[in-house]
Amino acid sequence: MTHPPATVSPHHTADGPQGAPPLLLGPSLGTTRALWDPQLPALSRQFRVIRWDLPGHGGAPDPGPAPTTVPGLARRVLHLADTLGIDRFAYAGVSLGGAVGAWLAAYHPERLVSLALICSSARFGAPGAWRERAALVRAKGTGPVADTAAARWFTPVFAVSPQATALVDALRRTVTPAGYAACCDALAAYDLRAELPRIAAPTLVVAGREDPATPPAHARELADGIPGAALLELPGAAHLASAERPAPVLAALLAHAAGITSIGHLTEGADQ
């Protein structure tokens, strides 16, 4: 195993059979491990599913004084895997959670069996916009970003659904300003474009065709830059495609797992 520098494991939950192949799931900025609730029942029949939370999200402690970065978050995930006795694992992440997985795949390829990047990016836009959002949240709390979250996360039709309302409410109730702002800082500093060719894990890239936060062009850049990556663009989905189109995302994840041949027991039974 690769042991990262001394750190702490992220807040997490584990579901599924103890001896099943491990699958780690990462959330997006402003959401918690509950983002994966729609896919959890099916995934946990086939995998040991480990869902982790960002700092200050979902009851996780606020970040410490050191800057929060994507490499730092990734090292926390490695520490979690080591603590759980997991050597190699499949990984899927949404947005910032996907960036963590991409960094792991680029810099710790020996640990990843497969990678799925959902509504993610190699660079999430201009750093200045993220720093401005971080400053806003530090000054006024998460209310202003929660007020506009539905427009960023969902199509207009889905934005008024109970599922969308619950996710926005969770941002208001369970995400701290310090945690949200620190993750904005991490997104501002993130740029993995030059390292994409280093990713060797079988990779699936999923985009929402109506995603204003990471438009399909971001997904195409990932798929073009990662050798052999597959790309799926979902109609009728914006940034949180795993919530808005849960069934197609689940089907894509299971089909991707069915194609993995590097560990034999990840190649069977992916038709659930």
Side-chain angles (χ1 to χ4, degrees), residues 103-256:
W103 191 93
L104 286 171
Y107 287 95
H108 292 276
E110 74 284 358
R111 301 301 295 270
L112 264 67
V113 172
S114 67
L115 175 65
L117 305 174
I118 300 171
C119 298
S120 195
S121 183
R123 181 177 182 266
F124 292 83
W130 290 109
R131 296 191 182 104
E132 289 174 6
R133 193 189 299 188
L136 172 66
V137 170
R138 288 187 173 107
K140 298 186 177 180
T142 59
V145 293
D147 290 342
T148 58
R152 293 192 302 274
W153 286 353
F154 311 116
T155 63
V157 171
F158 190 77
V160 297
S161 69
Q163 300 95 320
T165 300
L167 287 166
V168 174
D169 286 347
L171 167 56
R172 295 184 190 277
R173 293 183 294 101
T174 70
V175 179
T176 68
Y180 190 100
C183 290
C184 288
D185 291 337
L187 288 166
Y190 179 73
D191 188 346
L192 201 71
R193 290 174 293 180
E195 284 73 38
L196 293 180
R198 298 174 54 165
I199 296 177
T203 300
L204 168 69
V205 181
V206 178
R209 285 189 181 163
E210 298 181 51
D211 182 356
T214 51
H218 289 233
R220 293 173 198 140
E221 182 176 45
L222 287 169
D224 289 344
I226 298 171
L231 173 63
L232 171 65
E233 295 186 16
L234 292 177
H239 191 53
L240 296 190
S242 59
E244 189 161 5
R245 301 293 311 279
V249 169
L250 173 63
L253 290 174
L254 292 176
H256 186 54

Side-chain angles (χ1 to χ4, degrees), residues 46 251 254-255 257-259 266-272:
Q46 183 170 328
L254 292 176
L266 283 182
T267 65
E268 302 293 335
D271 57 349
Q272 300 180 39

